[in-house]
Amino acid sequence: MKYSLDFSDTAIFIMGGSSGINLGIAEAFAAHGANVAIASRSQDKVDAAVKILSAHGAKAIGFSADVRDVEAVKATLENAQKQFGTIDVLVSGAAGNFPASALDMSPNAFKSVVDIDLLGTFHVLQSAYPYLTKPGASLINISAPQALVPMELQIHVCAAKAGVDMITRGLAMEWGAAGIRVNSVVPGPIQGTEGMKRMAPTAELQEVVTNSLPLGRLGSPQDIANAVMFLASPLANFVTGAVIPVDGGFSLGGASVAGAAITHQFKQLKR
Ligand code: NAP
Ligand code: COA
């Protein structure tokens, strides 16, 4: 089957777009003609990502900002709007993760993940509101299987990402009247990413994770970008408040199997 997507004259802003899955999303939009703005903490990572995006022929800009700093987030979105006009597509994907049991986690460790993933998502979406195309903007939060499936060593991420999905649902209700759609994409384990390196650092664990997926393979950033492009396109004009797993079936049960193996291996390493 053939399909074509054209995001020319579309401005997309991706918070956390300087690496991994989010950079993959940025590249996909750049390759389909969009003007792409990204932001993350490290100016070096942002500069390197902007180079990659420009190589697709896109107009690409980048900013350094920490999602925990609401004033920095506001200034960044205002600057993006000044350069690109109103924002048609907004992706909120900045996140932090490390495996740690509740007893090995300081309150600040728990708080740092909640501040980045959950409070950060609130900062990004609320700060973006004045600059969104109304009607018509599509907002996509990048969630995680931990929002749907409880996992040991992950209570900080489980709590934060479940909260992100409830922000998705609540804002879909509050902002629907303004013609703004809000959805979550829940990636499964994605090959070659920082998230996978942290959760499955050994070849053995990567194999367990891969085998736990009904589709029998890890995902790619392009798999996630495809879902985000669908949500950003007119094909999804009646889709809002949806939390969509794009995970090869991981959240159907494999996540529990893989989670148990990950816990086992980290406990062995700790001994
Ligand atoms: P990654 O490469 O580490 O991407 C995280 C991005 O967020 C980077 O651009 C990082 O850049 C930025 N970031 C981190 N903390 C930030 C902060 N405080 N303020 C602003 N930006 C910040 O990780 P990834 O594995 O691709 O994950 C991307 C997203 O997918 C995350 O939302 C994650 O929860 C989700 N996810 C990943 C997987 C997976 O298999 N990898 C599975 C499910 C869900 P700086 O370091 O420059 O700030
Ligand atoms: N186990 C237990 N606690 C940990 C930890 C670990 N593996 N790693 C960090 N922490 C704790 C720190 O000790 C600190 O707590 P403390 O002040 O009580 O000592 C707290 O978490 C914050 O750590 P810090 O390094 O100061 O935070 P930061 O703001 O510089 O970084 C993180 C945030 C910790 C989330 C960092 O891992 C990060 O920047 N991650 C982004 C990339 C990423 O995680 N990508 C994958 C996305 S799925």
Side-chain angles (χ1 to χ4, degrees):
M1 189 173 66
K2 284 188 183 162
Y3 72 94
S4 70
L5 287 168
D6 181 0
F7 286 109
S8 52
D9 301 326
T10 300
I12 177 167
F13 181 94
I14 305 181
M15 181 53 87
S18 66
S19 61
I21 294 172
N22 302 323
L23 177 56
I25 295 167
E27 283 195 73
F29 275 88
H32 287 87
N35 293 330
V36 185
I38 60 157
S40 79
R41 291 167 301 178
S42 156
Q43 186 70 54
D44 287 349
K45 278 178 71 175
V46 166
D47 292 344
V50 166
K51 261 194 192 155
I52 292 170
L53 296 170
S54 303
H56 287 279
K59 199 169 160 200
I61 53 176
F63 305 93
S64 165
D66 190 318
V67 281
R68 291 168 285 193
D69 178 350
V70 69
E71 293 308 323
V73 172
K74 273 186 188 157
T76 298
L77 284 153
E78 188 182 355
N79 281 335
Q81 191 260 347
K82 274 186 191 148
Q83 295 199 44
F84 281 172
T86 59
I87 297 163
D88 303 300
V89 183
L90 178 81
V91 175
S92 177
N97 190 6
F98 47 82
S101 72
L103 296 180
D104 286 335
M105 213 186 286
S106 69
N108 192 46
F110 186 90
K111 182 177 181 296
S112 65
V113 169
V114 171
D115 280 354
I116 297 169
D117 295 24
L118 180 55
L119 201 61
T121 297
F122 170 68
H123 289 162
V124 171
L125 272 63
Q126 192 194 50
S127 303
Y129 188 84
Y131 311 120
L132 298 174
T133 306
K134 301 181 206 73
S138 174
L139 279 44
I140 296 117
N141 290 324
I142 305 301
S143 182
Q146 289 89 326
L148 314 168
V149 182
M151 284 185 205
E152 290 183 68
L153 313 183
Q154 289 285 280
I155 61 161
H156 46 346
V157 177
C158 291
K161 292 289 195 180
V164 167
D165 289 345
M166 288 310 277
I167 288 180
T168 291
R169 297 179 177 110
L171 287 188
M173 296 174 78
E174 289 193 20
W175 293 355
I180 296 168
R181 295 181 297 105
V182 191
N183 294 289
S184 283
V185 165
V186 185
I190 305 300
Q191 189 141 34
T193 56
E194 185 61 29
M196 268 300 280
K197 270 184 224 153
R198 290 179 182 222
M199 292 306 294
T202 64
E204 190 189 339
L205 274 182
Q206 286 195 17
E207 198 182 329
V208 173
V209 172
T210 307
N211 291 338
S212 75
L213 287 153
L215 290 186
R217 69 166 176 90
L218 298 177
S220 66
Q222 185 70 50
D223 289 322
I224 307 308
N226 290 342
V228 173
M229 287 194 291
F230 160 71
L231 287 170
S233 79
L235 293 175
N237 271 350
F238 203 50
V239 182
T240 196
V243 174
I244 304 178
V246 183
D247 67 354
F250 188 61
S251 54
L252 298 176
S256 302
V257 175
I262 289 166
T263 303
H264 178 71
Q265 179 134 14
F266 275 97
K267 280 183 179 161
Q268 300 278 89
L269 287 173
K270 247 195 103 190
R271 279 203 190 119

